[in-house]
Amino acid sequence: MVNATQKSSNGLSLNNLLATGPIVQDTLYNLLINFRLHAVIITEDTEKMYLQIRVTEDDSKLIRMLWQEPEQPLAECGINTVTFAEDEGHEFPLAKDAIDNFYVDDLLSGAATREEAIEKRRQLSAMLQRGGFVIRKWASNDKEVLAEIPPEDQAVNPVHTVDCQDTIKTLGIQWQYREDLLAFKTACDPIKEYFTKLSTIAKIFDPLGLIGLVVVIAKMLMQELWKIKVDWSEPLPNQFNHRWRTYLM
């Protein structure tokens, strides 16, 4: 395997010489913000999203890459799969626009009305199936949008029960789809985990800064511990122990 960061005799690496291409995927922040603008939400997970479409043998000869196994000479190889492609979008205008709402293989999209959301979901299914992609884990805050989706392809049991789990995880965020609310959850035992300060803080994932005031309290406490040179794995001094346990609770 080639180490693209390894500098050669001229002081440059392969990464230094490669041209930077355009950004083809929106940021996580923008996707989550746009996701909250829709009245009706649809989410899904596409199985094996990338590198699943083969190119013809003739075309493969034109798509080249360098590869090197440890202690082996440098080899030039052909690439057999499509990295990015544009196809079929002219027949599915709503699905074509929704493609920009993907983050890797997770879709966060929606529509202003139930009818539009149903049509967008249908178009997404039809367009991606033409490429051989399997769509699973559909979810929506409107159960009618998923009425045609088999239960095994939905993220949760569509039949609501008393103990039904109504929270799913999408892009690292806990989404309560029935009430259309975002939630944050960090599993931590304040008694047993009093010494894992860094790991506990790191478990809080908040890309939109919605609970910034909660996170900053933990970071301020962490800063105080650094000032008195307390190692992250050491038990907390008595004057901090109560504050830390209170915060975790």
Side-chain angles (χ1 to χ4, degrees):
M1 183 180 297
V2 176
N3 181 1
T5 64
Q6 180 71 40
K7 293 184 178 181
S8 64
S9 58
N10 62 6
L12 298 175
S13 68
L14 180 59
N15 283 349
N16 296 139
L17 301 175
L18 291 175
T20 302
I23 299 175
V24 296
Q25 181 171 272
D26 208 346
T27 65
L28 177 60
Y29 180 88
N30 287 342
L31 285 172
L32 289 172
I33 286 291
N34 293 333
F35 155 68
R36 303 310 302 154
L37 297 178
H38 299 296
V40 183
I41 305 297
I42 51 175
T43 72
E44 57 99 335
D45 175 85
T46 305
E47 190 176 59
K48 300 178 181 178
M49 183 71 166
Y50 287 99
L51 303 178
Q52 296 301 308
I53 302 177
R54 293 187 64 86
V55 299
T56 64
E57 184 176 350
D58 290 339
D59 289 339
S60 176
K61 298 174 183 178
L62 304 176
I63 311 173
R64 316 299 293 175
M65 65 176 291
L66 297 176
W67 186 266
Q68 186 175 33
E69 296 289 345
E71 301 180 359
Q72 296 295 320
L74 192 66
E76 183 180 348
C77 306
I79 298 177
N80 296 323
T81 56
V82 176
T83 305
F84 299 104
E86 291 187 13
D87 199 9
E88 309 292 351
H90 60 285
E91 293 189 38
F92 306 98
L94 291 178
K96 180 180 178 181
D97 292 340
I99 290 296
D100 292 334
N101 303 143
F102 271 98
Y103 193 82
V104 190
D105 56 357
D106 291 326
L107 172 73
L108 275 181
S109 189
T113 65
R114 172 187 295 171
E115 292 72 23
E116 183 183 352
I118 291 174
E119 180 59 24
K120 179 178 283 190
R121 184 201 57 71
R122 288 173 176 169
Q123 289 191 20
L124 278 165
S125 295
M127 186 178 73
L128 291 175
Q129 283 173 4
R130 287 194 180 183
F133 296 108
V134 177
I135 306 174
R136 56 194 181 91
K137 296 185 179 180
W138 284 101
S140 176
N141 58 339
D142 187 329
K143 63 181 182 179
E144 297 300 324
V145 175
L146 306 181
E148 301 173 1
I149 302 296
E152 61 270 19
D153 291 331
Q154 297 190 34
V156 291
N157 188 343
V159 179
H160 183 71
T161 60
V162 174
D163 59 349
C164 180
Q165 177 65 35
D166 63 353
T167 299
I168 63 174
K169 193 173 183 180
T170 178
L171 298 187
I173 297 293
Q174 299 288 333
W175 179 44
Q176 297 179 358
Y177 62 95
R178 297 190 192 278
E179 294 79 19
D180 193 16
L181 299 174
L182 297 181
F184 299 85
K185 180 180 179 181
T186 299
C188 181
D189 187 327
I191 305 300
K192 295 181 180 179
E193 300 190 22
Y194 64 89
F195 50 85
T196 55
K197 301 175 289 297
L198 284 176
S199 62
T200 301
I201 297 173
K203 291 175 183 177
I204 305 175
F205 182 66
D206 179 27
L208 296 180
L210 298 177
I211 56 171
L213 292 177
V214 176
V215 178
V216 76
I217 293 174
K219 291 186 176 180
M220 290 173 63
L221 178 59
M222 200 71 201
Q223 186 179 50
E224 293 183 51
L225 294 172
W226 282 335
K227 287 181 179 179
I228 61 174
K229 300 184 182 336
V230 175
D231 187 82
W232 72 272
S233 61
E234 295 178 3
L236 292 172
N238 291 334
Q239 67 268 33
F240 290 96
N241 203 18
H242 176 71
R243 290 170 56 189
W244 182 247
R245 294 190 181 190
T246 300
Y247 173 79
L248 294 181
M249 293 179 180

